[in-house]
Amino acid sequence: MKKTGTGPGRPPRLSRERIVEAALQGDVDTLTMRELATRLGVAHSSLYRWVPDRDGVLDLVSEVMVERVLPAGEPGADDWREWLARLAWAMHDAFLAVPGYAAHVARPHRHHPESFGRLRDAVVAAFRAAGADPGEAERSWYVFGFGVVRWLGAAGGDPAGDTAGPRFDLYLETLLRGLPTTPAPATPPAARKASS
């Protein structure tokens, strides 16, 4: 009978899932390829057959994180705000549960185009469902995404957690209330005042 799996002295088999699982076991913001290889029990060089570098590892982590936070179903005209709130709270819970992830995402860097592209498209769809035109929906995505991620980055970098600063529920309520859901008027404010 042929044995499957790993035998004594043989390193465990690698997979994308095992790499992500090991990456999520510590602070992803300071993760090194050597540390990850040690967690996986493989040679440092073996890891490079699966991922090109540390950024490749973080791309895999981002794919998993975005999959975890995207709410089921499409946002509609009646529930777009609740859908965005569910997404923001899912980001809050998932990003802060992984040491260093919120701080990493909040810092300017190259975001994984596929995973964060999915996140962007979903948020833009929510603002489009709310009545925003394409340009306004795109701008609202940047405000929403940047706002939530920066808040989480600040909370994730604080050893006291989000209890030391403003409450996330109040911040999120204010953020969602302030985002436009309909196109801005074509007439500049100064012209409207002059004509009234």
Side-chain angles (χ1 to χ4, degrees), residues 34-187:
R34 193 166 301 282
E35 178 185 357
L36 182 58
T38 301
R39 288 182 198 170
L40 288 162
V42 300
H44 183 234
S45 57
S46 300
L47 203 47
Y48 288 102
R49 294 186 193 125
W50 286 87
V51 286
D53 52 23
R54 181 177 180 275
D55 286 341
V57 173
L58 295 174
D59 285 348
L60 291 179
V61 169
S62 290
E63 286 177 24
V64 168
M65 296 302 278
V66 168
E67 189 64 37
R68 287 180 182 178
V69 302
L70 277 176
E74 300 291 321
D78 295 333
D79 69 346
W80 67 271
R81 195 180 301 269
E82 291 80 12
W83 189 94
L84 286 171
R86 283 198 315 272
L87 170 61
W89 275 108
M91 290 169 71
H92 175 278
D93 295 346
F95 289 14
L96 292 179
V98 177
Y101 187 73
H104 164 72
V105 173
R107 246 191 332 279
H109 70 286
R110 178 196 65 81
H111 290 283
H112 187 246
E114 289 176 27
S115 57
F116 278 88
R118 283 184 64 207
L119 188 62
R120 177 206 155 276
D121 291 348
V123 172
V124 167
F127 285 112
R128 293 286 288 136
D133 66 35
E136 196 62 54
E138 186 75 28
R139 286 187 291 277
S140 294
W141 144 250
Y142 283 109
V143 173
F144 174 83
F146 183 78
V148 170
V149 163
R150 290 297 297 218
W151 193 99
L152 295 176
D158 183 350
D162 62 351
T163 57
R167 289 178 19 199
F168 186 68
D169 58 338
L170 298 178
Y171 174 76
L172 180 60
E173 181 183 334
T174 304
L175 177 65
L176 289 175
R177 197 176 23 202
L179 287 169
T181 58
T182 55
T187 310

